[in-house]
Amino acid sequence: MNQIRAGIVLNYVLIVLNIVVGLLYTPYMLRTMGQSEYGLYSLVASVISYLTVLDLGFGNAIVRYTAKFRAEGKQTEQYEMFGMFLVVYLIIGAVALFAGLGVYCNVDALFADSMTVAELDKARVMLLLLTANMAVTFPLSVYGSIITAYEKFVFQKGLNIARTILNTIVMICLLTMGYKAIAMVVVQTVFNILTLLINYIYCKRKLHIKVLFRNFRWEFFKEVAIYSFWIFLNVVMDRFYWNTGQFILGIFSGTVAVATFALSIQLVHMYVTFSTAVNGVFLPKVSGMVAQNDDRTEISNMFIKVGRIQYLVMSLVLSGFVVFGRQFIALWAGEGYEEVYWITLILFAALFIPLIQNLGIVILQARNQMKFRSLLYIVIATAGLAMQVLLAQKYGGLGCAFAIATALLLGQGVIMNIYYKKKQGIDIARFWKEILKMSIVTVAVGVVAMWTMNHFECQGWMMLLAMMVAYSVVYLVLSFACSLNSEERSLVLNPIRRILNKIR
């Protein structure tokens, strides 16, 4: 339990650290590298990221079945499973290597119309480095999954925090010395391999893990493959949503358009963490409720309860970006990135519904009913890809954002809401009535803030931050007074009361 509690705390530390690094380090990187160089790096990284789908969901399977074998006291079977997965991942690593080399050999065919000769040469070097990185990562990633299964969260999260800090420091030093995109890839590769090797040493020295290459059980592998398949489909969907835009823009529009779109995607990833952090607090309770009696009324009430709390957080972020986003982008990214505001706003708005309803994913996982969601997302992600190809040629990054948003709204805003109501027994009508009542404060505060921003010129970071803090305080106070119910107010007040009692 101490490992779990510490792991949760360190996980939140890592989330905050990544956001802080993204907000503070990115402006320096953009101004030092330049728009074209950053776009080139983002494009190559997004292309190679497609190879991560070759994991096929096996990483999750290693964690699940290791925990299962440990609980059953089957140590030999556990070590034989590690051997099986190491062989599988060696094969996957070889496939990733050849796939990456295939992309390397076709760089001219893919990007010659939108890149200069110098950019194509740099792209080849980065593709080789990242391909080698991916080929090594697959087999050694087994040990990271083992550490997770053994619940050694302090070591794992601590290592990730150290890696994030050191990686940022080294890159700032190299950028100051004049190195650019290729240096970023080299540093990323070196730190990734070091992390993998440290995981390997930890498993051998501390956990005394053995890997046995014998008794390859095909029936067991088939069971694991079926379990992993639906996870794999969701990974594919994620890649289609968030990486195809940069690839398509690299083909039709060049590195500058890629840089703009990549910056928006970075902000989107930060936006998503605000919701997943809230959702994670309720995960154990919901899983226990489903496992015990799966009372549909109780589960529906929990869905609405968590959705209301997530709405409070996400509507603050979304409305705040609507009001202050343009000034923030101008100060954060600088000139040449004005389109980032509109691309990000489109994606933020499209993600809003799934992010206040992502407890539904937990419910589906607990009930082992992910099949419909996974198949649906493959369909809409494919449709979104086709739309991106059509719209990017004429509208660039805005066209890609509109295509992704349309797929998200259709899949998550319409179809999944119908599915939750019809098949999962969730009272979607009551959910949206609750959300609409809470929206009164959001709209009122947002309108007043927009009027204020239009009549007062905001200059510099200090004034912008002061106005953002003032907006947040007014929003939270009015939401507490007008939108929250008595139970939700208690969630806020009880910790404060406990702290005050301790002080007294």
Side-chain angles (χ1 to χ4, degrees), residues 1-11 148 150-154 157 284:
M1 285 302 298
N2 289 334
Q3 281 280 333
I4 293 172
R5 291 193 191 99
I8 292 171
V9 172
L10 289 174
N11 191 44
T148 301
Y150 274 69
E151 298 181 328
K152 300 300 180 183
F153 301 119
V154 173
K157 299 300 180 182

Side-chain angles (χ1 to χ4, degrees), residues 18 47 77 108 179 194 300 308 315 343 350 377 403 413 423 473:
N18 282 323
V47 171
E77 287 85 349
D108 287 344
Y179 295 97
L194 280 175
S300 179
R308 283 174 55 87
S315 63
I343 295 173
Y377 280 7
K423 298 296 183 179
V473 171

Side-chain angles (χ1 to χ4, degrees), residues 82-349:
F82 297 155
M84 179 187 77
F85 276 116
L86 193 55
V87 171
V88 170
Y89 272 129
L90 283 169
I91 296 170
I92 291 175
V95 172
L97 179 62
F98 285 111
L101 291 175
V103 176
Y104 168 82
C105 294
N106 289 279
V107 167
D108 287 344
L110 290 170
F111 306 117
D113 293 339
S114 60
M115 290 188 188
T116 65
V117 174
E119 288 175 336
L120 290 171
D121 289 338
K122 290 180 181 179
R124 290 190 189 92
V125 174
M126 289 189 286
L127 278 168
L128 278 179
L129 287 168
L130 290 174
T131 297
N133 186 7
M134 191 63 65
V136 173
T137 296
F138 276 117
L140 289 178
S141 66
V142 170
Y143 297 98
S145 297
I146 293 171
I147 293 171
T148 301
Y150 274 69
E151 298 181 328
K152 300 300 180 183
F153 301 119
V154 173
F155 169 80
Q156 192 173 54
K157 299 300 180 182
L159 181 61
N160 287 336
I161 290 171
R163 173 180 170 176
T164 301
I165 294 172
L166 290 173
N167 183 82
T168 304
I169 293 172
V170 171
M171 271 314 308
I172 290 173
C173 293
L174 291 176
L175 288 171
T176 304
M177 295 167 65
Y179 295 97
K180 295 187 178 181
I182 293 178
M184 289 187 70
V185 174
V186 171
V187 171
Q188 178 183 333
T189 301
V190 169
F191 274 103
N192 183 59
I193 292 175
L194 280 175
T195 302
L196 293 169
L197 290 175
I198 291 171
N199 284 339
Y200 168 78
I201 293 170
Y202 185 85
C203 285
K204 289 293 184 180
R205 299 279 180 86
K206 296 294 184 180
L207 302 181
H208 307 292
I209 295 299
K210 295 179 182 178
V211 178
L212 302 178
F213 296 98
R214 67 189 188 196
N215 296 333
F216 193 104
R217 294 180 292 157
W218 285 104
E219 283 300 318
F220 173 66
F221 180 74
K222 181 180 178 182
E223 177 187 339
V224 171
I226 293 171
Y227 170 82
S228 302
F229 180 70
W230 304 115
I231 298 171
F232 162 68
L233 288 184
N234 278 273
V235 172
V236 171
M237 180 274 296
D238 282 337
R239 289 293 171 266
F240 266 66
Y241 271 149
W242 307 119
N243 291 93
T244 49
Q246 295 169 67
F247 181 73
I248 291 167
L249 289 171
I251 294 174
F252 295 115
S253 304
T255 55
V256 172
V258 173
T260 300
F261 194 81
L263 210 56
S264 296
I265 296 299
Q266 184 177 346
L267 291 172
V268 165
H269 289 321
M270 296 180 193
Y271 179 63
V272 170
T273 60
F274 285 101
S275 174
T276 54
V278 173
N279 193 55
V281 175
F282 291 91
L283 176 58
K285 184 173 182 179
V286 175
S287 299
M289 290 165 59
V290 173
Q292 288 173 8
N293 53 29
D294 201 8
D295 185 311
R296 292 206 162 197
T297 301
E298 195 175 357
I299 295 296
S300 179
N301 290 337
M302 179 60 72
F303 181 91
I304 294 169
K305 175 182 177 180
V306 175
R308 283 174 55 87
I309 295 172
Q310 289 178 319
Y311 174 84
L312 184 69
V313 176
M314 301 313 299
S315 63
L316 171 60
V317 179
L318 176 58
S319 61
F321 188 81
V322 171
V323 176
F324 304 107
R326 273 180 289 190
Q327 291 81 3
F328 170 79
I329 296 296
L331 292 170
W332 182 58
E335 295 182 4
Y337 291 98
E338 291 79 12
E339 199 174 78
V340 170
Y341 172 74
W342 296 108
I343 295 173
T344 306
L345 185 58
I346 291 170
L347 295 176
F348 274 18

